PDB file of all heavy atoms in Angstrom:
ATOM      1  N   ARG A 108      -7.445   6.719   0.453  1.00 94.00           N
ATOM      2  CA  ARG A 108      -8.062   5.514   0.836  1.00 94.00           C
ATOM      3  C   ARG A 108      -7.991   4.378  -0.262  1.00 94.00           C
ATOM      4  O   ARG A 108      -8.204   4.715  -1.386  1.00 94.00           O
ATOM      5  CB  ARG A 108      -9.591   5.704   1.121  1.00 94.00           C
ATOM      6  CG  ARG A 108     -10.342   4.341   1.460  1.00 94.00           C
ATOM      7  CD  ARG A 108     -11.866   4.861   1.892  1.00 94.00           C
ATOM      8  NE  ARG A 108     -12.415   3.684   2.487  1.00 94.00           N
ATOM      9  CZ  ARG A 108     -12.351   3.158   3.657  1.00 94.00           C
ATOM     10  NH1 ARG A 108     -11.609   3.868   4.535  1.00 94.00           N
ATOM     11  NH2 ARG A 108     -12.971   2.147   4.201  1.00 94.00           N
ATOM     12  N   ASP A 110      -9.233   0.654  -1.057  1.00 93.00           N
ATOM     13  CA  ASP A 110     -10.014  -0.676  -0.865  1.00 93.00           C
ATOM     14  C   ASP A 110     -10.268  -1.320  -2.219  1.00 93.00           C
ATOM     15  O   ASP A 110      -9.645  -0.892  -3.225  1.00 93.00           O
ATOM     16  CB  ASP A 110     -11.316  -0.234  -0.133  1.00 93.00           C
ATOM     17  CG  ASP A 110     -11.989   0.699  -0.781  1.00 93.00           C
ATOM     18  OD1 ASP A 110     -11.903   1.073  -1.931  1.00 93.00           O
ATOM     19  OD2 ASP A 110     -13.116   1.278  -0.107  1.00 93.00           O
ATOM     20  N   LEU A 112     -12.850  -1.178  -4.252  1.00 94.00           N
ATOM     21  CA  LEU A 112     -13.300  -0.160  -5.272  1.00 94.00           C
ATOM     22  C   LEU A 112     -12.288   0.688  -5.736  1.00 94.00           C
ATOM     23  O   LEU A 112     -12.220   0.944  -6.925  1.00 94.00           O
ATOM     24  CB  LEU A 112     -14.421   0.656  -4.613  1.00 94.00           C
ATOM     25  CG  LEU A 112     -15.385   1.415  -5.498  1.00 94.00           C
ATOM     26  CD1 LEU A 112     -16.111   0.515  -6.418  1.00 94.00           C
ATOM     27  CD2 LEU A 112     -16.284   2.296  -4.635  1.00 94.00           C
ATOM     28  N   THR A 113     -11.479   1.202  -4.874  1.00 94.00           N
ATOM     29  CA  THR A 113     -10.296   2.014  -5.366  1.00 94.00           C
ATOM     30  C   THR A 113      -9.359   1.313  -6.199  1.00 94.00           C
ATOM     31  O   THR A 113      -8.882   1.672  -7.238  1.00 94.00           O
ATOM     32  CB  THR A 113      -9.456   2.572  -4.218  1.00 94.00           C
ATOM     33  OG1 THR A 113     -10.289   3.262  -3.250  1.00 94.00           O
ATOM     34  CG2 THR A 113      -8.402   3.500  -4.644  1.00 94.00           C
ATOM     35  N   ALA A 114      -9.017   0.052  -5.946  1.00 94.00           N
ATOM     36  CA  ALA A 114      -8.181  -0.879  -6.607  1.00 94.00           C
ATOM     37  C   ALA A 114      -8.587  -1.111  -8.008  1.00 94.00           C
ATOM     38  O   ALA A 114      -7.850  -1.110  -9.026  1.00 94.00           O
ATOM     39  CB  ALA A 114      -7.936  -2.237  -5.940  1.00 94.00           C
ATOM     40  N   MET A 116     -10.638   0.887  -9.766  1.00 94.00           N
ATOM     41  CA  MET A 116     -10.476   2.156 -10.518  1.00 94.00           C
ATOM     42  C   MET A 116      -8.984   2.517 -10.861  1.00 94.00           C
ATOM     43  O   MET A 116      -8.686   3.056 -11.933  1.00 94.00           O
ATOM     44  CB  MET A 116     -11.059   3.373  -9.811  1.00 94.00           C
ATOM     45  CG  MET A 116     -12.511   3.303  -9.550  1.00 94.00           C
ATOM     46  SD  MET A 116     -13.432   3.232 -11.129  1.00 94.00           S
ATOM     47  CE  MET A 116     -13.158   4.819 -11.809  1.00 94.00           C
ATOM     48  N   MET A 155      -7.991  12.455 -11.532  1.00 94.00           N
ATOM     49  CA  MET A 155      -8.817  11.336 -11.475  1.00 94.00           C
ATOM     50  C   MET A 155      -8.406  10.388 -10.258  1.00 94.00           C
ATOM     51  O   MET A 155      -9.267   9.772  -9.542  1.00 94.00           O
ATOM     52  CB  MET A 155      -8.951  10.592 -12.849  1.00 94.00           C
ATOM     53  CG  MET A 155     -10.015   9.619 -12.915  1.00 94.00           C
ATOM     54  SD  MET A 155     -11.613  10.300 -12.839  1.00 94.00           S
ATOM     55  CE  MET A 155     -12.663   8.856 -12.529  1.00 94.00           C
ATOM     56  N   MET A 157      -6.821  11.288  -7.711  1.00 94.00           N
ATOM     57  CA  MET A 157      -7.201  11.878  -6.447  1.00 94.00           C
ATOM     58  C   MET A 157      -8.686  11.700  -6.055  1.00 94.00           C
ATOM     59  O   MET A 157      -9.053  11.501  -4.897  1.00 94.00           O
ATOM     60  CB  MET A 157      -6.872  13.450  -6.480  1.00 94.00           C
ATOM     61  CG  MET A 157      -5.570  13.832  -6.368  1.00 94.00           C
ATOM     62  SD  MET A 157      -4.715  13.332  -4.784  1.00 94.00           S
ATOM     63  CE  MET A 157      -6.004  13.977  -3.682  1.00 94.00           C
ATOM     64  N   LEU A 158      -9.446  11.682  -7.105  1.00 94.00           N
ATOM     65  CA  LEU A 158     -10.950  11.538  -6.868  1.00 94.00           C
ATOM     66  C   LEU A 158     -11.273  10.120  -6.279  1.00 94.00           C
ATOM     67  O   LEU A 158     -12.046   9.971  -5.426  1.00 94.00           O
ATOM     68  CB  LEU A 158     -11.670  11.723  -8.267  1.00 94.00           C
ATOM     69  CG  LEU A 158     -13.204  11.794  -8.191  1.00 94.00           C
ATOM     70  CD1 LEU A 158     -13.756  12.487  -9.481  1.00 94.00           C
ATOM     71  CD2 LEU A 158     -13.970  10.481  -8.164  1.00 94.00           C
ATOM     72  N   VAL A 159     -10.579   9.088  -6.945  1.00 95.00           N
ATOM     73  CA  VAL A 159     -10.951   7.586  -6.595  1.00 95.00           C
ATOM     74  C   VAL A 159     -10.286   7.184  -5.350  1.00 95.00           C
ATOM     75  O   VAL A 159     -10.724   6.216  -4.640  1.00 95.00           O
ATOM     76  CB  VAL A 159     -10.643   6.730  -7.646  1.00 95.00           C
ATOM     77  CG1 VAL A 159     -11.427   7.100  -8.927  1.00 95.00           C
ATOM     78  CG2 VAL A 159      -9.242   6.591  -7.985  1.00 95.00           C
ATOM     79  N   THR A 160      -9.215   7.922  -4.821  1.00 95.00           N
ATOM     80  CA  THR A 160      -8.543   7.650  -3.645  1.00 95.00           C
ATOM     81  C   THR A 160      -9.004   8.524  -2.458  1.00 95.00           C
ATOM     82  O   THR A 160      -8.527   8.435  -1.293  1.00 95.00           O
ATOM     83  CB  THR A 160      -6.998   7.678  -3.646  1.00 95.00           C
ATOM     84  OG1 THR A 160      -6.733   9.073  -4.047  1.00 95.00           O
ATOM     85  CG2 THR A 160      -6.542   6.690  -4.704  1.00 95.00           C
ATOM     86  N   ALA A 161     -10.051   9.293  -2.600  1.00 94.00           N
ATOM     87  CA  ALA A 161     -10.504  10.239  -1.635  1.00 94.00           C
ATOM     88  C   ALA A 161     -11.099   9.568  -0.375  1.00 94.00           C
ATOM     89  O   ALA A 161     -11.828   8.595  -0.517  1.00 94.00           O
ATOM     90  CB  ALA A 161     -11.489  11.254  -2.239  1.00 94.00           C
ATOM     91  N   MET A 167     -12.753  14.417  -2.520  1.00 94.00           N
ATOM     92  CA  MET A 167     -13.441  13.893  -3.690  1.00 94.00           C
ATOM     93  C   MET A 167     -13.742  15.092  -4.636  1.00 94.00           C
ATOM     94  O   MET A 167     -13.555  15.048  -5.868  1.00 94.00           O
ATOM     95  CB  MET A 167     -14.593  12.982  -3.361  1.00 94.00           C
ATOM     96  CG  MET A 167     -15.298  12.441  -4.630  1.00 94.00           C
ATOM     97  SD  MET A 167     -16.735  11.465  -4.245  1.00 94.00           S
ATOM     98  CE  MET A 167     -15.999   9.944  -3.576  1.00 94.00           C
ATOM     99  N   TRP A 171     -12.876  15.936  -8.301  1.00 93.00           N
ATOM    100  CA  TRP A 171     -14.015  16.153  -9.256  1.00 93.00           C
ATOM    101  C   TRP A 171     -13.784  17.414 -10.046  1.00 93.00           C
ATOM    102  O   TRP A 171     -14.005  17.420 -11.333  1.00 93.00           O
ATOM    103  CB  TRP A 171     -15.180  16.257  -8.368  1.00 93.00           C
ATOM    104  CG  TRP A 171     -16.428  16.049  -8.927  1.00 93.00           C
ATOM    105  CD1 TRP A 171     -17.285  17.104  -9.592  1.00 93.00           C
ATOM    106  CD2 TRP A 171     -17.332  14.951  -9.148  1.00 93.00           C
ATOM    107  NE1 TRP A 171     -18.373  16.607 -10.031  1.00 93.00           N
ATOM    108  CE2 TRP A 171     -18.421  15.246  -9.677  1.00 93.00           C
ATOM    109  CE3 TRP A 171     -17.091  13.601  -8.753  1.00 93.00           C
ATOM    110  CZ2 TRP A 171     -19.509  14.366 -10.042  1.00 93.00           C
ATOM    111  CZ3 TRP A 171     -17.993  12.717  -9.013  1.00 93.00           C
ATOM    112  CH2 TRP A 171     -19.232  13.060  -9.744  1.00 93.00           C
ATOM    113  N   ILE A 225     -15.862  10.064   4.509  1.00 94.00           N
ATOM    114  CA  ILE A 225     -16.772   9.122   3.867  1.00 94.00           C
ATOM    115  C   ILE A 225     -16.979   7.841   4.751  1.00 94.00           C
ATOM    116  O   ILE A 225     -18.258   7.454   4.881  1.00 94.00           O
ATOM    117  CB  ILE A 225     -16.194   8.680   2.521  1.00 94.00           C
ATOM    118  CG1 ILE A 225     -16.244   9.904   1.602  1.00 94.00           C
ATOM    119  CG2 ILE A 225     -16.867   7.443   2.029  1.00 94.00           C
ATOM    120  CD1 ILE A 225     -15.557   9.569   0.279  1.00 94.00           C
ATOM    121  N   ALA A 262     -23.336  13.698 -10.313  1.00 93.00           N
ATOM    122  CA  ALA A 262     -23.001  12.532 -11.272  1.00 93.00           C
ATOM    123  C   ALA A 262     -23.587  12.628 -12.639  1.00 93.00           C
ATOM    124  O   ALA A 262     -23.040  12.329 -13.638  1.00 93.00           O
ATOM    125  CB  ALA A 262     -23.460  11.284 -10.573  1.00 93.00           C
ATOM    126  N   SER A 266     -21.132  12.452 -15.636  1.00 90.00           N
ATOM    127  CA  SER A 266     -21.306  11.273 -16.433  1.00 90.00           C
ATOM    128  C   SER A 266     -22.220  11.528 -17.610  1.00 90.00           C
ATOM    129  O   SER A 266     -22.799  10.374 -18.186  1.00 90.00           O
ATOM    130  CB  SER A 266     -21.703  10.058 -15.598  1.00 90.00           C
ATOM    131  OG  SER A 266     -20.726   9.780 -14.580  1.00 90.00           O
ATOM    132  N   THR A 293     -12.112   7.414 -17.523  1.00 78.00           N
ATOM    133  CA  THR A 293     -11.878   8.430 -16.386  1.00 78.00           C
ATOM    134  C   THR A 293     -13.050   9.348 -16.118  1.00 78.00           C
ATOM    135  O   THR A 293     -13.952   8.935 -15.449  1.00 78.00           O
ATOM    136  CB  THR A 293     -10.683   9.234 -16.859  1.00 78.00           C
ATOM    137  OG1 THR A 293     -10.843   9.779 -18.128  1.00 78.00           O
ATOM    138  CG2 THR A 293      -9.438   8.465 -16.895  1.00 78.00           C
ATOM    139  N   VAL A 295     -16.024  10.474 -17.362  1.00 89.00           N
ATOM    140  CA  VAL A 295     -17.336  10.153 -17.388  1.00 89.00           C
ATOM    141  C   VAL A 295     -17.817   8.957 -16.442  1.00 89.00           C
ATOM    142  O   VAL A 295     -18.949   8.767 -16.181  1.00 89.00           O
ATOM    143  CB  VAL A 295     -17.781   9.738 -18.793  1.00 89.00           C
ATOM    144  CG1 VAL A 295     -17.748  10.910 -19.829  1.00 89.00           C
ATOM    145  CG2 VAL A 295     -17.040   8.500 -19.333  1.00 89.00           C
ATOM    146  N   THR A 296     -16.730   8.165 -15.962  1.00 90.00           N
ATOM    147  CA  THR A 296     -17.205   7.197 -14.998  1.00 90.00           C
ATOM    148  C   THR A 296     -17.005   7.663 -13.617  1.00 90.00           C
ATOM    149  O   THR A 296     -17.324   6.852 -12.666  1.00 90.00           O
ATOM    150  CB  THR A 296     -16.156   6.031 -15.167  1.00 90.00           C
ATOM    151  OG1 THR A 296     -14.864   6.483 -14.911  1.00 90.00           O
ATOM    152  CG2 THR A 296     -16.236   5.495 -16.571  1.00 90.00           C
ATOM    153  N   ALA A 297     -16.682   8.863 -13.397  1.00 92.00           N
ATOM    154  CA  ALA A 297     -16.583   9.468 -11.964  1.00 92.00           C
ATOM    155  C   ALA A 297     -17.924   9.456 -11.290  1.00 92.00           C
ATOM    156  O   ALA A 297     -17.951   9.109 -10.086  1.00 92.00           O
ATOM    157  CB  ALA A 297     -16.002  10.925 -12.010  1.00 92.00           C
ATOM    158  N   GLY A 298     -18.934   9.693 -11.991  1.00 93.00           N
ATOM    159  CA  GLY A 298     -20.357   9.636 -11.369  1.00 93.00           C
ATOM    160  C   GLY A 298     -20.696   8.285 -11.015  1.00 93.00           C
ATOM    161  O   GLY A 298     -21.281   8.088  -9.924  1.00 93.00           O
ATOM    162  N   VAL A 299     -20.469   7.259 -11.801  1.00 94.00           N
ATOM    163  CA  VAL A 299     -20.704   5.922 -11.387  1.00 94.00           C
ATOM    164  C   VAL A 299     -20.022   5.510 -10.185  1.00 94.00           C
ATOM    165  O   VAL A 299     -20.447   4.824  -9.272  1.00 94.00           O
ATOM    166  CB  VAL A 299     -20.371   4.991 -12.592  1.00 94.00           C
ATOM    167  CG1 VAL A 299     -20.679   3.491 -12.269  1.00 94.00           C
ATOM    168  CG2 VAL A 299     -21.166   5.350 -13.857  1.00 94.00           C
ATOM    169  N   PHE A 300     -18.716   5.850 -10.140  1.00 94.00           N
ATOM    170  CA  PHE A 300     -17.748   5.570  -9.003  1.00 94.00           C
ATOM    171  C   PHE A 300     -18.409   6.201  -7.723  1.00 94.00           C
ATOM    172  O   PHE A 300     -18.373   5.489  -6.699  1.00 94.00           O
ATOM    173  CB  PHE A 300     -16.425   5.989  -9.200  1.00 94.00           C
ATOM    174  CG  PHE A 300     -15.577   6.052  -7.944  1.00 94.00           C
ATOM    175  CD1 PHE A 300     -14.987   4.843  -7.563  1.00 94.00           C
ATOM    176  CD2 PHE A 300     -15.374   7.181  -7.264  1.00 94.00           C
ATOM    177  CE1 PHE A 300     -14.265   4.876  -6.430  1.00 94.00           C
ATOM    178  CE2 PHE A 300     -14.549   7.247  -6.167  1.00 94.00           C
ATOM    179  CZ  PHE A 300     -13.925   6.010  -5.748  1.00 94.00           C
ATOM    180  N   MET A 301     -18.861   7.445  -7.865  1.00 95.00           N
ATOM    181  CA  MET A 301     -19.317   8.215  -6.661  1.00 95.00           C
ATOM    182  C   MET A 301     -20.556   7.476  -6.176  1.00 95.00           C
ATOM    183  O   MET A 301     -20.698   7.334  -4.926  1.00 95.00           O
ATOM    184  CB  MET A 301     -19.599   9.608  -7.084  1.00 95.00           C
ATOM    185  CG  MET A 301     -19.917  10.568  -5.775  1.00 95.00           C
ATOM    186  SD  MET A 301     -21.754  10.660  -5.611  1.00 95.00           S
ATOM    187  CE  MET A 301     -22.136  11.770  -6.971  1.00 95.00           C
ATOM    188  N   VAL A 302     -21.426   7.123  -6.947  1.00 95.00           N
ATOM    189  CA  VAL A 302     -22.768   6.461  -6.490  1.00 95.00           C
ATOM    190  C   VAL A 302     -22.358   5.124  -5.821  1.00 95.00           C
ATOM    191  O   VAL A 302     -22.860   4.783  -4.768  1.00 95.00           O
ATOM    192  CB  VAL A 302     -23.629   6.343  -7.710  1.00 95.00           C
ATOM    193  CG1 VAL A 302     -24.852   5.343  -7.202  1.00 95.00           C
ATOM    194  CG2 VAL A 302     -24.177   7.684  -8.217  1.00 95.00           C
ATOM    195  N   CYS A 303     -21.414   4.407  -6.386  1.00 94.00           N
ATOM    196  CA  CYS A 303     -21.137   3.136  -5.816  1.00 94.00           C
ATOM    197  C   CYS A 303     -20.317   3.283  -4.515  1.00 94.00           C
ATOM    198  O   CYS A 303     -20.520   2.495  -3.593  1.00 94.00           O
ATOM    199  CB  CYS A 303     -20.280   2.223  -6.785  1.00 94.00           C
ATOM    200  SG  CYS A 303     -21.173   1.642  -8.255  1.00 94.00           S
ATOM    201  N   ARG A 304     -19.419   4.301  -4.441  1.00 95.00           N
ATOM    202  CA  ARG A 304     -18.726   4.594  -3.218  1.00 95.00           C
ATOM    203  C   ARG A 304     -19.735   4.892  -2.117  1.00 95.00           C
ATOM    204  O   ARG A 304     -19.527   4.571  -0.901  1.00 95.00           O
ATOM    205  CB  ARG A 304     -17.762   5.747  -3.392  1.00 95.00           C
ATOM    206  CG  ARG A 304     -17.097   6.356  -2.187  1.00 95.00           C
ATOM    207  CD  ARG A 304     -16.258   5.282  -1.509  1.00 95.00           C
ATOM    208  NE  ARG A 304     -14.888   5.148  -2.010  1.00 95.00           N
ATOM    209  CZ  ARG A 304     -14.179   4.134  -1.890  1.00 95.00           C
ATOM    210  NH1 ARG A 304     -14.603   3.112  -1.167  1.00 95.00           N
ATOM    211  NH2 ARG A 304     -13.030   4.040  -2.473  1.00 95.00           N
ATOM    212  N   LEU A 305     -20.734   5.695  -2.418  1.00 95.00           N
ATOM    213  CA  LEU A 305     -21.749   6.106  -1.408  1.00 95.00           C
ATOM    214  C   LEU A 305     -22.915   5.204  -1.409  1.00 95.00           C
ATOM    215  O   LEU A 305     -23.988   5.699  -0.942  1.00 95.00           O
ATOM    216  CB  LEU A 305     -22.159   7.588  -1.686  1.00 95.00           C
ATOM    217  CG  LEU A 305     -20.906   8.585  -1.659  1.00 95.00           C
ATOM    218  CD1 LEU A 305     -21.542  10.015  -2.047  1.00 95.00           C
ATOM    219  CD2 LEU A 305     -20.253   8.653  -0.427  1.00 95.00           C
ATOM    220  N   SER A 306     -22.824   3.995  -1.881  1.00 94.00           N
ATOM    221  CA  SER A 306     -23.982   3.121  -2.046  1.00 94.00           C
ATOM    222  C   SER A 306     -24.676   2.887  -0.708  1.00 94.00           C
ATOM    223  O   SER A 306     -25.962   2.891  -0.628  1.00 94.00           O
ATOM    224  CB  SER A 306     -23.614   1.818  -2.689  1.00 94.00           C
ATOM    225  OG  SER A 306     -22.531   1.257  -1.902  1.00 94.00           O
ATOM    226  N   PHE A 356     -25.712   3.274 -14.521  1.00 95.00           N
ATOM    227  CA  PHE A 356     -26.519   3.911 -13.562  1.00 95.00           C
ATOM    228  C   PHE A 356     -27.738   3.170 -13.119  1.00 95.00           C
ATOM    229  O   PHE A 356     -28.111   3.024 -12.030  1.00 95.00           O
ATOM    230  CB  PHE A 356     -26.808   5.203 -13.928  1.00 95.00           C
ATOM    231  CG  PHE A 356     -25.752   6.383 -13.638  1.00 95.00           C
ATOM    232  CD1 PHE A 356     -25.012   6.874 -14.695  1.00 95.00           C
ATOM    233  CD2 PHE A 356     -25.466   6.668 -12.438  1.00 95.00           C
ATOM    234  CE1 PHE A 356     -24.045   7.815 -14.430  1.00 95.00           C
ATOM    235  CE2 PHE A 356     -24.391   7.444 -11.974  1.00 95.00           C
ATOM    236  CZ  PHE A 356     -23.655   8.156 -13.086  1.00 95.00           C
ATOM    237  N   MET A 368     -20.031  -1.689 -11.501  1.00 94.00           N
ATOM    238  CA  MET A 368     -18.665  -1.518 -11.614  1.00 94.00           C
ATOM    239  C   MET A 368     -17.987  -2.604 -12.519  1.00 94.00           C
ATOM    240  O   MET A 368     -16.943  -2.273 -13.184  1.00 94.00           O
ATOM    241  CB  MET A 368     -18.051  -1.850 -10.148  1.00 94.00           C
ATOM    242  CG  MET A 368     -18.321  -0.765  -9.120  1.00 94.00           C
ATOM    243  SD  MET A 368     -17.633   0.905  -9.750  1.00 94.00           S
ATOM    244  CE  MET A 368     -15.922   0.476  -9.958  1.00 94.00           C
ATOM    245  N   LEU A 371     -18.337  -0.961 -15.860  1.00 94.00           N
ATOM    246  CA  LEU A 371     -17.404   0.118 -15.915  1.00 94.00           C
ATOM    247  C   LEU A 371     -15.934  -0.397 -16.338  1.00 94.00           C
ATOM    248  O   LEU A 371     -15.157   0.148 -17.070  1.00 94.00           O
ATOM    249  CB  LEU A 371     -17.410   0.886 -14.573  1.00 94.00           C
ATOM    250  CG  LEU A 371     -16.505   2.140 -14.481  1.00 94.00           C
ATOM    251  CD1 LEU A 371     -17.055   3.075 -13.286  1.00 94.00           C
ATOM    252  CD2 LEU A 371     -15.006   1.793 -14.093  1.00 94.00           C
TER     253      LEU A 371
END
Side-chain angles (χ1 to χ4, degrees):
R108 181 173 186 80
D110 56 14
L112 193 59
T113 305
M116 295 301 296
M155 192 66 194
M157 282 301 308
L158 192 158
V159 301
T160 57
M167 181 182 287
W171 196 271
I225 293 176
S266 296
T293 51
V295 295
T296 60
V299 179
F300 167 81
M301 184 265 284
V302 172
C303 291
R304 168 64 81 199
L305 302 180
S306 54
F356 275 114
M368 288 303 301
L371 184 155

